[in-house]
Amino acid sequence: MNYRCSPLALLPMRRSSVVAAAAAVVLSSAGVAQADTIYKVTELLIGPRSDVTLYSTGRAINKSGRTAIEYGYTVSGFAAAHCLKAQCTQIPELQVRSFPATTPFGINDLGQITGSSFSGFTTHAFLYDGTQTIDLGGLPDDGCGGCMLDSLGRDINNKGVVVGLAYTIDGSARAFIYKDAQMSEIGTLGGDFSDAYALNDKGDIVGVSTQSGGAQRAFHYRAGLMSDLGTLGGSHSAAFGVNELRQIVGCSTLTGDTEQRGFIHEQGVMTPLPSLGGNESCALGINRNGWVVGYSSESSGSTRRAFLWQAGGPAIDLNAKLDLKTGKNWVITEARAINDNGLIVATGERKGITRAALLTPVNVESN
């Protein structure tokens, strides 16, 4: 998702947004050799246009390791692709245009992908089923099934349910759920804005919504009820990931709203996650094992680095774990999502160009 948390401004941008990863050190029976995890870096580019790709960004990953990326190959156009390892294929647009504008946000274990694409004079949420790209329309406020209203899909679960952001006839933005060929909004926390970023197979939906006073808060929606998850002491928060154990991750401002920290929310409690030392961090994805990925600034400045966190441990800068050969010339700035096998879809800088990357964990022996 092309979303960036930043202190005092948690509103979303409509577009551009291991097996034992960090299980750190396992002693051998001899008590000498240690098993560590490093990450092989695979650059994700799109087929014959690789040589003219201006940028690519990692968006989502599923159980089998298939990823969804956004890439740009013209100054004005951007498109969506799905990749299996380094082989990437473009996702068809809803409407073929001279300047494409299609981006993916979520992928499920069946390989179905949701995102947004131009449709007529609007941008609509879509569902790509592996063969065709299906227009999900918009909220039915306009009397034509949302044909005149914008929408975008953020995530899709293994039941084919899509959540995301859709606009009403009066211009307000609402979190939606698309189920049984019907798109419907799920409300707000009292304000005029909400956006759903993720859901699980149990029907838990998380995202961000404004309160009546305008503060933005992370929410959890289940069985028709939207709940405010609170903050880490500041005014604002947002939730970006949820797993099947209902562990929720996101970011929140701290007291004073000058710093932002990633969080994990479970059993009714929001807990700050370790950072890499800077004053801005955000948790973007979580797998079934409770492993969390995201980004954090460093103590030395505002440079963003991708991190991995496991319960009880520190935030690990993934750049310190890159394979020396495949990770050469890379700076991984954001880890967007992690699957249950520990594979990570990320975005980084390689020779000054923004590129999507797949990080594959490899166990190595060290003394």
Side-chain angles (χ1 to χ4, degrees):
M1 305 172 190
N2 201 20
Y3 179 96
R4 300 292 184 272
C5 284
S6 59
L8 308 178
L10 288 168
L11 282 173
M13 295 180 180
R14 298 220 30 230
R15 184 233 154 238
S16 358
S17 33
V18 286
V19 177
V25 180
V26 179
L27 294 178
S28 71
S29 57
V32 178
Q34 297 177 337
D36 198 5
T37 300
I38 62 171
Y39 288 86
K40 174 185 175 183
V41 182
T42 302
E43 187 171 3
L44 302 178
L45 291 176
I46 177 69
R49 288 175 173 155
S50 299
D51 58 334
V52 292
T53 301
L54 299 180
Y55 74 90
S56 59
T57 57
R59 297 295 197 194
I61 189 167
N62 69 6
K63 184 177 181 179
S64 67
R66 185 174 292 277
T67 56
I69 68 168
E70 178 190 310
Y71 69 98
Y73 55 88
T74 69
V75 174
S76 303
F78 55 97
H82 60 95
C83 311
L84 186 58
K85 296 183 179 179
Q87 299 299 312
C88 300
T89 304
Q90 184 175 351
I91 295 170
E93 304 164 63
L94 288 179
Q95 180 184 35
V96 177
R97 300 166 56 96
S98 48
F99 294 104
T102 300
T103 187
F105 287 105
I107 185 171
N108 66 14
D109 291 338
L110 302 176
Q112 296 173 318
I113 296 169
T114 192
S116 66
S117 183
F118 269 133
S119 177
F121 296 100
T122 59
T123 299
H124 276 172
F126 69 77
L127 191 160
Y128 173 70
D129 63 6
T131 302
Q132 61 180 333
T133 305
I134 302 165
D135 191 336
L136 301 187
L139 292 173
D141 299 18
D142 57 3
C144 62
C147 67
M148 298 186 296
L149 299 175
D150 289 337
S151 65
L152 59 96
R154 297 285 195 189
D155 199 13
I156 181 169
N157 69 11
N158 291 325
K159 298 179 180 180
V161 178
V162 175
V163 297
L165 173 74
Y167 284 81
T168 65
I169 196 70
D170 65 3
S172 299
R174 293 286 190 274
F176 76 77
I177 181 171
Y178 183 91
K179 183 179 181 181
D180 299 327
Q182 178 70 38
M183 180 181 292
S184 55
E185 62 173 281
I186 62 174
T188 73
L189 292 172
D192 60 1
F193 165 83
S194 61
D195 192 352
Y197 276 92
L199 81 165
N200 61 20
D201 289 342
K202 295 179 179 178
D204 298 279
I205 302 171
V206 300
V208 61
S209 175
T210 51
Q211 299 176 316
S212 57
Q216 299 172 74
R217 294 296 182 89
F219 74 75
H220 173 219
Y221 177 91
R222 179 171 176 78
L225 178 64
M226 182 180 289
S227 303
D228 187 336
L229 296 182
T231 73
L232 294 173
S235 303
H236 308 290
S237 62
F240 299 112
V242 59
N243 65 12
E244 297 305 312
L245 299 177
R246 298 195 175 111
Q247 293 174 304
I248 300 167
V249 295
C251 44
S252 168
T253 55
L254 305 183
T255 302
D257 291 333
T258 59
E259 295 184 53
Q260 178 182 286
R261 187 68 57 83
F263 70 74
I264 183 168
H265 186 284
E266 50 188 336
Q267 298 181 344
V269 178
M270 181 182 288
T271 304
L273 294 175
S275 72
L276 298 178
N279 63 5
E280 181 186 9
S281 66
C282 193
L284 300 176
I286 184 170
N287 67 11
R288 287 175 181 262
N289 304 313
W291 302 346
V292 178
V293 293
Y295 67 82
S296 174
S297 59
E298 299 178 291
S299 57
S300 58
S302 59
T303 302
R304 283 183 174 178
R305 298 293 182 113
F307 77 80
L308 169 71
W309 175 82
Q310 286 183 288
I316 296 173
D317 185 345
L318 286 169
N319 292 278
K321 295 291 184 176
L322 299 184
D323 169 58
L324 293 179
K325 181 179 180 180
T326 61
K328 186 178 180 180
N329 298 320
W330 278 93
V331 176
I332 304 300
T333 55
E334 175 185 286
R336 184 62 195 85
I338 181 170
N339 73 7
D340 295 341
N341 294 319
L343 280 79
I344 298 169
V345 64
T347 300
E349 300 289 329
R350 184 173 184 268
K351 297 182 179 180
I353 301 175
T354 300
R355 296 295 197 204
L358 174 67
L359 306 184
T360 303
V362 179
N363 285 336
V364 295
E365 293 290 324
S366 61
N367 292 320

